[in-house]
């Protein structure tokens, strides 16, 4: 079935606007836009949106719930996509996620790393994992629930655990900015954690930071991967689940 032309046009415009924001932020930070990769976050969106994004050349796709990601990845298996799992992950979902994900951004404990590695190995796959770092300054759940992530002080050790698993590749770090306050110091902190980890693992260069509302701050603080949902596909409405 051909794509809905209006939807294609809308996503194309959104993509052009997002790229303009990325270019402007890179110019300000004196960075090459080629060093900033774009991941389209397609949660709550139909597989058809994934197809439209691919037709526009965007083949890096992010999802935060296995229940939604697994069928969407299966429905688009004919496309050559790279799937990024970006949400909090229970260990009992490791088998499913390891079967379709290429990159897991949200590894925040050694037990999860081991489960993902063992499941990937059993499936004959290799998984790139990022250490999710908590930037809230308090890793306990806030009123709006936990955001996930390891304490910055514990991130290097978790990176070592990932790197030593045969089936895992340590890709770098990931974080979500605190809900309130200035994202610049938070992303600055993430950059420092990245430097510490790169001292021991020089190839772990990915810094996954920056969403629709804070991509400029992320780029100015060294992000290499942006995870954009609303900016590309429109508002999702009230958050559920
Ligand atoms: C939903 C989500 C995003 C995208 O957020 P937008 O504000 O829609 O750009 C990025 N990262 C994570 C972890 C998410 O859950």
């Amino acid at each position: 079935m051909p794509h809905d032309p209006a939807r294609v046009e809308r996503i194309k415009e959104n993509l052009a606007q997002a790229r303009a924001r990325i270019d402007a932020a890179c110019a300000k930070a004196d960075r090459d836009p080629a060093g900033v990769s774009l991941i389209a976050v397609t949660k709550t969106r139909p597989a058809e949106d994934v197809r439209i994004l691919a037709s526009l050349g965007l083949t890096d796709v992010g999802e935060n719930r296995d229940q939604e990601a697994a069928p969407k990845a299966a429905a688009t298996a004919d496309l050559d996509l790279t799937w990024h799992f970006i949400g909090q992950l229970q260990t009992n979902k490791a088998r499913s996620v390891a079967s379709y994900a290429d990159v897991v951004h949200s590894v925040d404990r050694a037990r999860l790393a081991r489960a993902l590695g063992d499941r990937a190995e059993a499936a004959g796959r290799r998984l790139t994992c990022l250490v999710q770092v908590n930037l809230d300054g308090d890793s306990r759940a806030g009123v709006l629930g936990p955001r996930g992530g390891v304490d910055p002080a514990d991130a290097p050790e978790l990176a070592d655990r990932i790197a030593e698993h045969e089936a895992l590749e340590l890709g770098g770090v990931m974080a979500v900015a605190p809900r309130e306050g200035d994202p610049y110091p938070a992303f600055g902190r993430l950059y420092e954690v990245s430097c510490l980890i790169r001292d021991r693992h020089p190839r772990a260069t990915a810094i996954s930071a920056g969403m629709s509302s804070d991509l400029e701050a992320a780029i100015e603080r060294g992000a290499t991967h942006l995870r954009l949902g609303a900016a590309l596909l429109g508002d999702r409405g009230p958050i559920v689940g």
Side-chain angles (χ1 to χ4, degrees):
M1 234 176 52
H3 304 307
D4 169 8
R7 185 67 180 148
V8 176
E9 214 36 53
R10 163 47 68 89
I11 294 176
K12 209 171 173 175
E13 272 170 31
N14 289 345
L15 183 56
Q17 279 177 21
R19 293 229 191 265
R21 282 175 67 190
I22 293 167
D23 288 350
C26 283
K28 192 171 167 206
D30 199 16
R31 294 187 54 190
D32 181 352
V36 180
S37 302
L38 188 47
I39 298 163
V41 177
T42 52
K43 64 190 184 197
T44 78
R45 301 292 176 186
E48 175 63 9
D49 273 5
V50 176
R51 292 192 174 276
I52 293 174
L53 287 161
S55 77
L56 298 171
L58 233 175
T59 52
D60 282 85
V61 190
E63 286 280 338
N64 70 336
R65 292 169 66 239
D66 176 59
Q67 303 92 294
E68 188 180 345
K72 226 178 275 184
T76 54
D78 57 308
L79 302 173
D80 194 13
L81 304 174
T82 300
W83 286 92
H84 299 257
F85 192 86
I86 62 174
Q88 283 185 32
L89 184 52
Q90 290 171 294
T91 308
N92 63 11
K93 296 281 168 48
R95 182 205 298 269
S96 174
V97 170
S99 72
Y100 60 83
D102 300 287
V103 187
V104 179
H105 291 231
S106 43
V107 179
D108 60 2
R109 54 201 192 278
R111 203 164 90 87
L112 176 60
R114 198 173 332 113
L116 286 167
D118 291 350
R119 296 311 191 180
E121 195 159 33
R125 304 187 76 233
R126 274 182 76 76
L127 267 186
T128 296
C129 290
L130 310 188
V131 175
Q132 183 177 352
V133 180
N134 181 294
L135 300 177
D136 285 337
D138 179 355
S139 42
R140 283 169 297 162
V143 278
L144 292 162
R147 314 210 75 188
V150 67
D151 199 84
D154 298 327
E157 193 184 323
L158 178 55
D160 292 346
R161 295 289 84 74
I162 294 170
E164 72 194 15
H165 199 296
E166 287 274 321
L168 302 180
E169 182 85 37
L170 175 66
V173 295
M174 175 272 210
V176 178
R179 263 177 241 272
E180 289 181 356
D182 186 355
Y184 280 84
F187 287 144
R189 198 133 183 251
L190 180 65
Y191 187 79
E192 285 166 19
V193 173
S194 167
C195 290
L196 279 177
I197 290 176
R198 275 180 287 153
D199 271 349
R200 297 197 319 222
H201 306 281
R203 287 188 303 159
T205 54
I207 302 179
S208 168
M211 311 184 1
S212 296
S213 59
D214 56 21
L215 72 87
E216 286 83 2
I219 287 173
E220 287 180 55
R221 291 294 174 268
T224 62
H225 291 73
L226 306 175
R227 308 177 307 267
L228 300 189
L232 297 178
L233 301 172
D235 287 328
R236 288 179 298 273
I239 295 185
V240 281

